[in-house]
Amino acid sequence: MTLPSKYRVQSLQQAQVSNSLYHERIMLAPLSHSEATTLAVGLRRCLLKGFEGTCFSTLKIQHSWLAKKEIGCYEYLALPGIRETIRDIMMNLSSVVLIGMPIKEQTAVLYTGQEIGVFEARHIRLPEGIHCLSPNQPILSIVVPLELKLELTIERGSGFRIRDGGDPEEGLLLDARFNPILQVDYQIQRTERRIEFYFEDKVSHKENETISSTPDKKDSSPTSEEQIKDDVSEKENALDFHINNEQKQDHFCVLLFDIWTNGTIQPIEAMQRAAKQAIAVYIPLLRFASAISSNTILQKQLGLKNSVK
């Protein structure tokens, strides 16, 4: 039997901007400010660094003009017949969203075949088991019929890898965004919950009792001044206590997460996986602490037995 938790998780907003862009706002409450800060920082780091994904990693270009000139291909080179530079093509390929489990050194091919027009991600021939979630992503524009072939290496990894050098013969390195989490923002909002002690009813009830219990002036003697002062001071103390407690408020915080993904995973699923990763760090500590406590209990029991003997 699981005990009910005092914390509540709720999805406040969901939006599918496109096939490769999902957004969701998730709320967690009630929390203290320290709890909200700890959860926000830990979960955000797990979301941004703890997930794997698939994307293009290297690019090889085969162009007839390059073969005639016998020159190498570099990032800022402009090829005849292509509107974009090689750098633009590399940036467009880095924006393509893939899903699947690639085999080592698995490649995809984009072949123009003497055609003119805009070539998009749907024109790339992907290997079996790999699918594209952004088929309308433009790659390059051909303005003159030519023979052009792009060879792309598909790789799976985690995090984000910025291109750094590389051998042109082996292929140009692309900015590889393996992590399906595009952006994570969080807000800690402080709210106020008023505590009411309802002293007004008690004070009014006490006043009614004093009025009903006072005898008529004709039938009884007047009350002493000390008794009147005691009654007045008692009422003032009760009212002051009510006013002071009315100003006291129970503060708690609401943690809001805004998560954007590339469509290969839902934001709420990513949050669940990040929470499991965070919990996995604390489980060894709990086991270690329980093992120490059991050992101390055994040692105490053995010590008692020896003392009895």
Side-chain angles (χ1 to χ4, degrees), residues 24-62:
E24 187 167 357
R25 172 169 286 188
I26 301 171
M27 180 193 73
L28 178 60
L31 300 167
S32 65
H33 191 271
S34 58
E35 290 175 341
T37 305
T38 303
L39 285 174
V41 174
L43 290 175
R44 186 175 185 273
R45 291 189 176 182
C46 290
L47 286 168
L48 293 178
K49 294 187 177 181
F51 292 83
E52 291 187 349
T54 304
C55 64
F56 296 126
S57 59
T58 59
L59 166 66
K60 289 183 180 180
I61 300 177
Q62 297 180 8

Side-chain angles (χ1 to χ4, degrees), residues 248-264:
K248 292 182 180 178
Q249 296 169 344
D250 184 16
H251 299 280
F252 68 94
C253 294
V254 175
L255 178 59
L256 297 176
F257 270 101
D258 287 298
I259 303 174
W260 288 265
T261 66
N262 62 1
T264 60

Side-chain angles (χ1 to χ4, degrees), residues 115-255:
E115 295 183 4
I116 299 176
V118 178
F119 288 84
E120 299 175 344
R122 57 189 173 88
H123 297 107
I124 301 175
R125 299 176 184 175
L126 297 172
E128 187 177 357
I130 305 298
H131 304 281
C132 179
L133 296 182
S134 55
N136 298 325
Q137 171 65 38
I139 304 300
L140 52 86
S141 302
I142 303 296
V143 296
V144 177
L146 53 87
E147 293 287 338
L148 178 66
K149 182 180 180 182
L150 305 182
E151 292 185 3
L152 303 164
T153 305
I154 302 174
E155 189 177 345
R156 187 170 180 83
S158 61
F160 183 80
R161 188 182 64 196
I162 300 176
R163 61 181 181 273
D164 185 12
D167 189 358
E169 296 181 358
E170 296 181 358
L172 298 171
L173 295 178
L174 303 176
D175 288 337
R177 183 184 288 275
F178 298 109
N179 195 349
I181 311 300
L182 302 178
Q183 185 177 347
V184 179
D185 295 335
Y186 68 86
Q187 300 177 13
I188 300 176
Q189 296 183 358
R190 191 180 181 90
T191 60
E192 297 177 354
R193 181 173 53 197
R194 190 179 296 276
I195 299 177
E196 298 180 356
F197 290 93
Y198 301 103
F199 272 89
E200 290 180 355
D201 297 336
K202 295 182 179 180
V203 173
S204 61
H205 182 65
K206 190 174 184 63
E207 289 177 354
N208 293 331
E209 287 182 354
T210 55
I211 292 171
S212 61
S213 61
T214 53
D216 296 334
K217 293 182 179 179
K218 297 178 181 179
D219 302 334
S220 61
S221 60
T223 56
S224 62
E225 294 181 358
E226 295 180 357
Q227 186 177 357
I228 294 173
K229 290 181 180 179
D230 292 339
D231 293 339
V232 172
S233 62
E234 189 174 356
K235 293 177 185 178
E236 290 178 352
N237 293 332
L239 288 172
D240 292 339
F241 187 71
H242 166 67
I243 292 170
N244 293 332
N245 281 278
E246 190 179 27
Q247 294 175 355
K248 292 182 180 178
Q249 296 169 344
D250 184 16
H251 299 280
F252 68 94
C253 294
V254 175
L255 178 59

Side-chain angles (χ1 to χ4, degrees), residues 69-124:
K69 295 293 183 179
E70 296 182 354
I71 59 175
C73 183
Y74 56 92
E75 184 176 349
Y76 296 97
L77 181 64
L79 297 175
I82 302 177
R83 185 171 298 167
E84 293 83 4
T85 63
I86 294 180
R87 177 178 173 82
D88 296 332
I89 297 173
M90 294 171 64
M91 293 177 64
N92 293 335
L93 290 171
S94 297
S95 301
V96 177
V97 180
L98 301 177
I99 185 172
M101 297 292 293
I103 306 173
K104 279 188 176 182
E105 298 182 357
Q106 204 166 13
T107 58
V109 177
L110 175 59
Y111 182 66
T112 59
Q114 299 289 334
E115 295 183 4
I116 299 176
V118 178
F119 288 84
E120 299 175 344
R122 57 189 173 88
H123 297 107
I124 301 175

